[in-house]
């Protein structure tokens, strides 16, 4: 592992001109390039049974015997009930520093965010991994819809909850955002001055992706076409009284896909990372989810995180690396970009030998002192 404080190195763009639009759509449901006229008609109605809170350990990672775990719930500013897992080291005493953890985009707390939270709890922090609004065990109707505003609010609601715990020091709260929630974490830190330090791991800027496509490859004409089709889809949804959903994500790999699409399938659809409540594990976002992302760039005020510190962590071989590099360039000091040699995007989801937990611990120990 090594640390970068400069961004002079070049970013290799993806070679995706011949990739099927459906394959890109199955990645996150977010690539504007995937939202063609034909695709908008192919989604099947998606129904989810009423939310019930499970007390069983149904995570994709093993339970630590060093940590106490408790399922909790709280409301965000819009009245949506968020369900979360609270972790704390068994030997914790007195007022502690705390971390709220979210992501990846389309994942649930039983996956990557929970692993980060439990591991950081082992290292002495009170941590909270939450399901975003409209997903997982959290409330909100319809199911599996996202908004950059509400997603940002979910982080602040998690800070609300942590700050009300008697054993949390309100002046020592940080946040971690993974993948698409890396961008949400940066936006939340910019607007919410209670957040004292922020980490974005293997980040996406979902508003940039949805509005411009991968590597900013979408033309103005393609953007206009997509917005036209999404707008017309609203009438179809209004007529039906329920939203249409995109095709299931990551269900199958047929050959010829970019490696990162295969990597997503290998995480979300295998025992390694599959969870039935995750949007990315064979479920889908609503077809019109991109609308609120396409004209709302969430990193416009990233420089306002300063003078609070931000740490970007990304894999050297990740297709998404350019998101962290350009966000790092736009952020103000103090900032740091750590590139993990040889790592791809999904390695930072769950590969504990790759995720730099020592660096995370040192960063938050220093800045939440």
């Amino acid at each position: 592992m090594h640390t970068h404080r400069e961004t002079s190195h070049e970013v290799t763009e993806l070679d995706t001109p011949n990739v099927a639009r459906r394959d890109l759509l199955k990645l996150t449901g977010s690539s504007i390039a995937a939202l063609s006229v034909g695709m908008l008609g192919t989604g099947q109605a998606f129904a989810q049974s009423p939310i019930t809170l499970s007390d069983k350990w149904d995570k994709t990672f093993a339970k630590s015997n060093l940590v106490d775990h408790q399922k909790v719930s709280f409301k965000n500013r819009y009245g949506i009930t968020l369900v979360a897992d609270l972790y704390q080291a068994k030997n914790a005493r007195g007022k502690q520093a705390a971390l709220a953890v979210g992501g990846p985009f389309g994942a649930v707390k039983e996956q990557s965010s929970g692993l980060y939270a439990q591991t950081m709890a082992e290292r002495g922090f009170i941590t909270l991994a939450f399901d975003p609004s409209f997903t997982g065990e959290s409330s909100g109707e319809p199911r599996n819809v996202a908004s950059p505003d509400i997603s940002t609010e979910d982080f602040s609601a998690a800070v609300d909850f942590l700050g009300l715990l008697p054993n949390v020091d309100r002046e020592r709260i940080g946040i971690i955002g993974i993948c698409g929630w890396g961008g949400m974490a940066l936006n939340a830190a910019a607007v919410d001055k209670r957040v004292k330090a922020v980490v974005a791991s293997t980040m996406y800027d979902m508003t940039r992706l949805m509005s411009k496509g991968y590597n900013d490859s979408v033309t103005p004409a393609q953007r206009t076409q997509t917005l036209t089709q999404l707008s017309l889809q609203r009438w179809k949804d209004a007529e039906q009284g329920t939203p249409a959903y995109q095709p299931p994500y990551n269900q199958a790999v047929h050959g010829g896909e970019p490696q990162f699409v295969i990597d997503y399938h290998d995480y979300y659809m295998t025992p390694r990372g599959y969870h039935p409540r995750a949007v990315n594990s064979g479920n889908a976002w609503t077809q019109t989810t991109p609308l609120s992302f396409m004209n709302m760039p969430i990193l416009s005020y990233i420089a306002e995180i300063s003078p609070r510190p931000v740490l970007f962590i990304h894999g050297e071989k990740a297709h998404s690396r350019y998101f962290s590099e350009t966000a790092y360039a736009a952020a103000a000091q103090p900032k740091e970009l750590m590139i993990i040699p040889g790592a791809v995007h999904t390695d930072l989801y769950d590969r504990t030998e790759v995720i730099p937990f020592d660096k995370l611990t040192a960063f938050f120990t220093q800045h939440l002192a």
Side-chain angles (χ1 to χ4, degrees), residues 222-251:
Q222 288 172 323
R223 173 180 167 85
T224 298
Q225 180 187 35
T226 298
L227 285 170
T228 298
Q229 295 306 315
L230 290 173
S231 300
L232 293 174
Q233 183 63 39
R234 293 185 62 116
W235 268 327
K236 296 179 183 179
D237 291 350
E239 185 177 37
Q240 293 296 321
T242 184
Y245 286 81
Q246 297 169 8
Y249 299 152
N250 303 310
Q251 276 198 333

mmCIF file of all heavy atoms in Angstrom, residues 222-251:
data_model
loop_
_atom_site.group_PDB
_atom_site.id
_atom_site.type_symbol
_atom_site.label_atom_id
_atom_site.label_comp_id
_atom_site.label_asym_id
_atom_site.label_seq_id
_atom_site.Cartn_x
_atom_site.Cartn_y
_atom_site.Cartn_z
ATOM 1 N N GLN A 222 -27.369 11.814 -26.302
ATOM 2 C CA GLN A 222 -27.742 10.617 -25.537
ATOM 3 C C GLN A 222 -28.390 10.992 -24.219
ATOM 4 O O GLN A 222 -29.358 10.355 -23.787
ATOM 5 C CB GLN A 222 -26.499 9.758 -25.288
ATOM 6 C CG GLN A 222 -25.972 9.049 -26.513
ATOM 7 C CD GLN A 222 -24.637 8.377 -26.256
ATOM 8 O OE1 GLN A 222 -23.792 8.901 -25.533
ATOM 9 N NE2 GLN A 222 -24.437 7.215 -26.863
ATOM 10 N N ARG A 223 -27.855 12.012 -23.569
ATOM 11 C CA ARG A 223 -28.448 12.479 -22.312
ATOM 12 C C ARG A 223 -29.889 12.946 -22.539
ATOM 13 O O ARG A 223 -30.792 12.592 -21.777
ATOM 14 C CB ARG A 223 -27.602 13.608 -21.730
ATOM 15 C CG ARG A 223 -28.217 14.287 -20.517
ATOM 16 C CD ARG A 223 -27.332 15.408 -19.983
ATOM 17 N NE ARG A 223 -28.055 16.242 -19.034
ATOM 18 C CZ ARG A 223 -28.185 15.964 -17.736
ATOM 19 N NH1 ARG A 223 -27.640 14.876 -17.240
ATOM 20 N NH2 ARG A 223 -28.863 16.774 -16.946
ATOM 21 N N THR A 224 -30.106 13.718 -23.600
ATOM 22 C CA THR A 224 -31.451 14.199 -23.901
ATOM 23 C C THR A 224 -32.401 13.050 -24.182
ATOM 24 O O THR A 224 -33.546 13.033 -23.709
ATOM 25 C CB THR A 224 -31.415 15.159 -25.099
ATOM 26 O OG1 THR A 224 -30.618 16.300 -24.771
ATOM 27 C CG2 THR A 224 -32.815 15.630 -25.475
ATOM 28 N N GLN A 225 -31.921 12.056 -24.915
ATOM 29 C CA GLN A 225 -32.752 10.899 -25.222
ATOM 30 C C GLN A 225 -33.138 10.150 -23.953
ATOM 31 O O GLN A 225 -34.298 9.751 -23.767
ATOM 32 C CB GLN A 225 -32.028 9.964 -26.183
ATOM 33 C CG GLN A 225 -32.851 8.723 -26.547
ATOM 34 C CD GLN A 225 -32.047 7.718 -27.357
ATOM 35 O OE1 GLN A 225 -30.842 7.573 -27.140
ATOM 36 N NE2 GLN A 225 -32.704 7.022 -28.270
ATOM 37 N N THR A 226 -32.173 9.969 -23.070
ATOM 38 C CA THR A 226 -32.451 9.254 -21.827
ATOM 39 C C THR A 226 -33.444 10.020 -20.968
ATOM 40 O O THR A 226 -34.400 9.437 -20.433
ATOM 41 C CB THR A 226 -31.151 9.021 -21.051
ATOM 42 O OG1 THR A 226 -30.279 8.215 -21.831
ATOM 43 C CG2 THR A 226 -31.430 8.320 -19.724
ATOM 44 N N LEU A 227 -33.238 11.306 -20.826
ATOM 45 C CA LEU A 227 -34.164 12.111 -20.024
ATOM 46 C C LEU A 227 -35.567 12.100 -20.625
ATOM 47 O O LEU A 227 -36.567 12.080 -19.898
ATOM 48 C CB LEU A 227 -33.636 13.539 -19.906
ATOM 49 C CG LEU A 227 -32.466 13.723 -18.937
ATOM 50 C CD1 LEU A 227 -31.865 15.121 -19.072
ATOM 51 C CD2 LEU A 227 -32.902 13.472 -17.500
ATOM 52 N N THR A 228 -35.656 12.112 -21.938
ATOM 53 C CA THR A 228 -36.973 12.056 -22.591
ATOM 54 C C THR A 228 -37.673 10.746 -22.254
ATOM 55 O O THR A 228 -38.857 10.731 -21.880
ATOM 56 C CB THR A 228 -36.813 12.198 -24.107
ATOM 57 O OG1 THR A 228 -36.230 13.464 -24.407
ATOM 58 C CG2 THR A 228 -38.167 12.095 -24.803
ATOM 59 N N GLN A 229 -36.945 9.641 -22.349
ATOM 60 C CA GLN A 229 -37.555 8.344 -22.074
ATOM 61 C C GLN A 229 -37.922 8.180 -20.596
ATOM 62 O O GLN A 229 -38.981 7.625 -20.268
ATOM 63 C CB GLN A 229 -36.611 7.221 -22.516
ATOM 64 C CG GLN A 229 -36.367 7.179 -24.011
ATOM 65 C CD GLN A 229 -37.662 7.111 -24.815
ATOM 66 O OE1 GLN A 229 -38.567 6.352 -24.488
ATOM 67 N NE2 GLN A 229 -37.752 7.919 -25.849
ATOM 68 N N LEU A 230 -37.076 8.680 -19.714
ATOM 69 C CA LEU A 230 -37.395 8.613 -18.288
ATOM 70 C C LEU A 230 -38.603 9.470 -17.958
ATOM 71 O O LEU A 230 -39.441 9.106 -17.123
ATOM 72 C CB LEU A 230 -36.187 9.052 -17.463
ATOM 73 C CG LEU A 230 -34.987 8.109 -17.464
ATOM 74 C CD1 LEU A 230 -33.800 8.751 -16.754
ATOM 75 C CD2 LEU A 230 -35.339 6.786 -16.805
ATOM 76 N N SER A 231 -38.698 10.609 -18.600
ATOM 77 C CA SER A 231 -39.861 11.480 -18.378
ATOM 78 C C SER A 231 -41.140 10.803 -18.831
ATOM 79 O O SER A 231 -42.163 10.845 -18.130
ATOM 80 C CB SER A 231 -39.662 12.808 -19.126
ATOM 81 O OG SER A 231 -38.515 13.487 -18.682
ATOM 82 N N LEU A 232 -41.111 10.173 -20.007
ATOM 83 C CA LEU A 232 -42.294 9.470 -20.503
ATOM 84 C C LEU A 232 -42.641 8.276 -19.626
ATOM 85 O O LEU A 232 -43.816 7.931 -19.476
ATOM 86 C CB LEU A 232 -42.065 9.023 -21.948
ATOM 87 C CG LEU A 232 -41.943 10.153 -22.982
ATOM 88 C CD1 LEU A 232 -41.564 9.590 -24.348
ATOM 89 C CD2 LEU A 232 -43.242 10.949 -23.069
ATOM 90 N N GLN A 233 -41.621 7.653 -19.033
ATOM 91 C CA GLN A 233 -41.871 6.520 -18.143
ATOM 92 C C GLN A 233 -42.697 6.934 -16.934
ATOM 93 O O GLN A 233 -43.463 6.135 -16.386
ATOM 94 C CB GLN A 233 -40.551 5.903 -17.684
ATOM 95 C CG GLN A 233 -40.703 4.659 -16.814
ATOM 96 C CD GLN A 233 -41.373 3.511 -17.544
ATOM 97 O OE1 GLN A 233 -41.112 3.285 -18.723
ATOM 98 N NE2 GLN A 233 -42.233 2.776 -16.846
ATOM 99 N N ARG A 234 -42.567 8.194 -16.532
ATOM 100 C CA ARG A 234 -43.368 8.682 -15.392
ATOM 101 C C ARG A 234 -44.851 8.540 -15.672
ATOM 102 O O ARG A 234 -45.633 8.188 -14.771
ATOM 103 C CB ARG A 234 -43.010 10.128 -15.076
ATOM 104 C CG ARG A 234 -41.613 10.349 -14.554
ATOM 105 C CD ARG A 234 -41.423 11.804 -14.170
ATOM 106 N NE ARG A 234 -42.339 12.156 -13.099
ATOM 107 C CZ ARG A 234 -41.953 12.529 -11.869
ATOM 108 N NH1 ARG A 234 -40.668 12.581 -11.565
ATOM 109 N NH2 ARG A 234 -42.850 12.836 -10.965
ATOM 110 N N TRP A 235 -45.307 8.835 -16.907
ATOM 111 C CA TRP A 235 -46.717 8.687 -17.243
ATOM 112 C C TRP A 235 -47.138 7.221 -17.158
ATOM 113 O O TRP A 235 -48.226 6.902 -16.681
ATOM 114 C CB TRP A 235 -46.989 9.231 -18.645
ATOM 115 C CG TRP A 235 -47.401 10.684 -18.628
ATOM 116 C CD1 TRP A 235 -48.125 11.329 -17.670
ATOM 117 C CD2 TRP A 235 -47.110 11.642 -19.645
ATOM 118 N NE1 TRP A 235 -48.293 12.649 -18.015
ATOM 119 C CE2 TRP A 235 -47.692 12.876 -19.218
ATOM 120 C CE3 TRP A 235 -46.420 11.602 -20.847
ATOM 121 C CZ2 TRP A 235 -47.608 14.031 -19.977
ATOM 122 C CZ3 TRP A 235 -46.337 12.758 -21.596
ATOM 123 C CH2 TRP A 235 -46.925 13.965 -21.176
ATOM 124 N N LYS A 236 -46.264 6.328 -17.632
ATOM 125 C CA LYS A 236 -46.596 4.905 -17.545
ATOM 126 C C LYS A 236 -46.730 4.466 -16.086
ATOM 127 O O LYS A 236 -47.658 3.736 -15.735
ATOM 128 C CB LYS A 236 -45.511 4.079 -18.247
ATOM 129 C CG LYS A 236 -45.397 4.333 -19.735
ATOM 130 C CD LYS A 236 -44.277 3.496 -20.348
ATOM 131 C CE LYS A 236 -44.111 3.805 -21.826
ATOM 132 N NZ LYS A 236 -43.004 3.016 -22.429
ATOM 133 N N ASP A 237 -45.803 4.922 -15.247
ATOM 134 C CA ASP A 237 -45.862 4.565 -13.829
ATOM 135 C C ASP A 237 -47.103 5.149 -13.168
ATOM 136 O O ASP A 237 -47.757 4.495 -12.348
ATOM 137 C CB ASP A 237 -44.614 5.058 -13.101
ATOM 138 C CG ASP A 237 -43.357 4.304 -13.505
ATOM 139 O OD1 ASP A 237 -43.471 3.279 -14.206
ATOM 140 O OD2 ASP A 237 -42.255 4.733 -13.110
ATOM 141 N N ALA A 238 -47.434 6.397 -13.528
ATOM 142 C CA ALA A 238 -48.619 7.050 -12.949
ATOM 143 C C ALA A 238 -49.889 6.329 -13.370
ATOM 144 O O ALA A 238 -50.819 6.149 -12.578
ATOM 145 C CB ALA A 238 -48.660 8.510 -13.376
ATOM 146 N N GLU A 239 -49.913 5.886 -14.610
ATOM 147 C CA GLU A 239 -51.083 5.168 -15.106
ATOM 148 C C GLU A 239 -51.245 3.826 -14.413
ATOM 149 O O GLU A 239 -52.360 3.413 -14.060
ATOM 150 C CB GLU A 239 -50.945 4.971 -16.614
ATOM 151 C CG GLU A 239 -52.167 4.331 -17.266
ATOM 152 C CD GLU A 239 -52.011 4.227 -18.770
ATOM 153 O OE1 GLU A 239 -50.889 3.962 -19.241
ATOM 154 O OE2 GLU A 239 -53.020 4.412 -19.471
ATOM 155 N N GLN A 240 -50.123 3.138 -14.173
ATOM 156 C CA GLN A 240 -50.158 1.835 -13.519
ATOM 157 C C GLN A 240 -50.342 1.943 -12.005
ATOM 158 O O GLN A 240 -50.768 0.987 -11.360
ATOM 159 C CB GLN A 240 -48.864 1.072 -13.814
ATOM 160 C CG GLN A 240 -48.702 0.665 -15.262
ATOM 161 C CD GLN A 240 -49.764 -0.328 -15.713
ATOM 162 O OE1 GLN A 240 -50.153 -1.220 -14.969
ATOM 163 N NE2 GLN A 240 -50.228 -0.160 -16.944
ATOM 164 N N GLY A 241 -49.980 3.095 -11.447
ATOM 165 C CA GLY A 241 -50.077 3.267 -10.008
ATOM 166 C C GLY A 241 -48.929 2.636 -9.252
ATOM 167 O O GLY A 241 -48.942 2.575 -8.019
ATOM 168 N N THR A 242 -47.921 2.162 -9.960
ATOM 169 C CA THR A 242 -46.749 1.548 -9.339
ATOM 170 C C THR A 242 -45.579 1.688 -10.294
ATOM 171 O O THR A 242 -45.772 1.666 -11.515
ATOM 172 C CB THR A 242 -46.997 0.057 -9.034
ATOM 173 O OG1 THR A 242 -45.872 -0.485 -8.340
ATOM 174 C CG2 THR A 242 -47.255 -0.748 -10.288
ATOM 175 N N PRO A 243 -44.367 1.848 -9.781
ATOM 176 C CA PRO A 243 -43.227 2.039 -10.679
ATOM 177 C C PRO A 243 -42.795 0.753 -11.362
ATOM 178 O O PRO A 243 -42.884 -0.329 -10.784
ATOM 179 C CB PRO A 243 -42.127 2.561 -9.748
ATOM 180 C CG PRO A 243 -42.469 1.982 -8.416
ATOM 181 C CD PRO A 243 -43.970 1.966 -8.358
ATOM 182 N N ALA A 244 -42.320 0.894 -12.592
ATOM 183 C CA ALA A 244 -41.683 -0.223 -13.280
ATOM 184 C C ALA A 244 -40.239 -0.325 -12.810
ATOM 185 O O ALA A 244 -39.620 0.676 -12.439
ATOM 186 C CB ALA A 244 -41.745 -0.014 -14.787
ATOM 187 N N TYR A 245 -39.718 -1.551 -12.832
ATOM 188 C CA TYR A 245 -38.354 -1.791 -12.378
ATOM 189 C C TYR A 245 -37.462 -2.194 -13.545
ATOM 190 O O TYR A 245 -37.917 -2.745 -14.542
ATOM 191 C CB TYR A 245 -38.327 -2.865 -11.278
ATOM 192 C CG TYR A 245 -38.834 -2.326 -9.964
ATOM 193 C CD1 TYR A 245 -40.211 -2.234 -9.726
ATOM 194 C CD2 TYR A 245 -37.963 -1.859 -8.999
ATOM 195 C CE1 TYR A 245 -40.683 -1.696 -8.540
ATOM 196 C CE2 TYR A 245 -38.433 -1.340 -7.814
ATOM 197 C CZ TYR A 245 -39.791 -1.249 -7.583
ATOM 198 O OH TYR A 245 -40.248 -0.702 -6.420
ATOM 199 N N GLN A 246 -36.194 -1.891 -13.401
ATOM 200 C CA GLN A 246 -35.205 -2.290 -14.392
ATOM 201 C C GLN A 246 -34.993 -3.803 -14.330
ATOM 202 O O GLN A 246 -35.452 -4.457 -13.391
ATOM 203 C CB GLN A 246 -33.901 -1.529 -14.127
ATOM 204 C CG GLN A 246 -34.048 -0.026 -14.271
ATOM 205 C CD GLN A 246 -32.842 0.738 -13.765
ATOM 206 O OE1 GLN A 246 -31.823 0.148 -13.429
ATOM 207 N NE2 GLN A 246 -32.961 2.058 -13.710
ATOM 208 N N PRO A 247 -34.295 -4.361 -15.303
ATOM 209 C CA PRO A 247 -34.019 -5.803 -15.257
ATOM 210 C C PRO A 247 -33.170 -6.159 -14.046
ATOM 211 O O PRO A 247 -32.444 -5.307 -13.513
ATOM 212 C CB PRO A 247 -33.245 -6.055 -16.554
ATOM 213 C CG PRO A 247 -33.627 -4.927 -17.455
ATOM 214 C CD PRO A 247 -33.832 -3.744 -16.557
ATOM 215 N N PRO A 248 -33.244 -7.396 -13.578
ATOM 216 C CA PRO A 248 -32.454 -7.809 -12.407
ATOM 217 C C PRO A 248 -30.957 -7.603 -12.630
ATOM 218 O O PRO A 248 -30.448 -7.819 -13.730
ATOM 219 C CB PRO A 248 -32.795 -9.298 -12.257
ATOM 220 C CG PRO A 248 -34.093 -9.471 -12.970
ATOM 221 C CD PRO A 248 -34.067 -8.500 -14.107
ATOM 222 N N TYR A 249 -30.282 -7.207 -11.582
ATOM 223 C CA TYR A 249 -28.858 -6.927 -11.676
ATOM 224 C C TYR A 249 -28.021 -8.162 -11.378
ATOM 225 O O TYR A 249 -28.313 -8.918 -10.449
ATOM 226 C CB TYR A 249 -28.452 -5.828 -10.683
ATOM 227 C CG TYR A 249 -29.152 -4.521 -10.915
ATOM 228 C CD1 TYR A 249 -29.382 -3.648 -9.863
ATOM 229 C CD2 TYR A 249 -29.606 -4.156 -12.173
ATOM 230 C CE1 TYR A 249 -30.032 -2.448 -10.065
ATOM 231 C CE2 TYR A 249 -30.258 -2.961 -12.386
ATOM 232 C CZ TYR A 249 -30.471 -2.110 -11.334
ATOM 233 O OH TYR A 249 -31.116 -0.925 -11.525
ATOM 234 N N ASN A 250 -26.956 -8.311 -12.157
ATOM 235 C CA ASN A 250 -25.865 -9.255 -11.869
ATOM 236 C C ASN A 250 -26.289 -10.716 -11.890
ATOM 237 O O ASN A 250 -25.556 -11.570 -11.379
ATOM 238 C CB ASN A 250 -25.238 -8.931 -10.497
ATOM 239 C CG ASN A 250 -24.735 -7.508 -10.418
ATOM 240 O OD1 ASN A 250 -24.020 -7.054 -11.289
ATOM 241 N ND2 ASN A 250 -25.141 -6.795 -9.368
ATOM 242 N N GLN A 251 -27.448 -11.028 -12.472
ATOM 243 C CA GLN A 251 -27.941 -12.398 -12.373
ATOM 244 C C GLN A 251 -27.100 -13.403 -13.141
ATOM 245 O O GLN A 251 -26.928 -14.526 -12.708
ATOM 246 C CB GLN A 251 -29.395 -12.470 -12.849
ATOM 247 C CG GLN A 251 -30.397 -12.117 -11.767
ATOM 248 C CD GLN A 251 -31.784 -12.602 -12.096
ATOM 249 O OE1 GLN A 251 -32.152 -12.762 -13.257
ATOM 250 N NE2 GLN A 251 -32.596 -12.828 -11.070
#
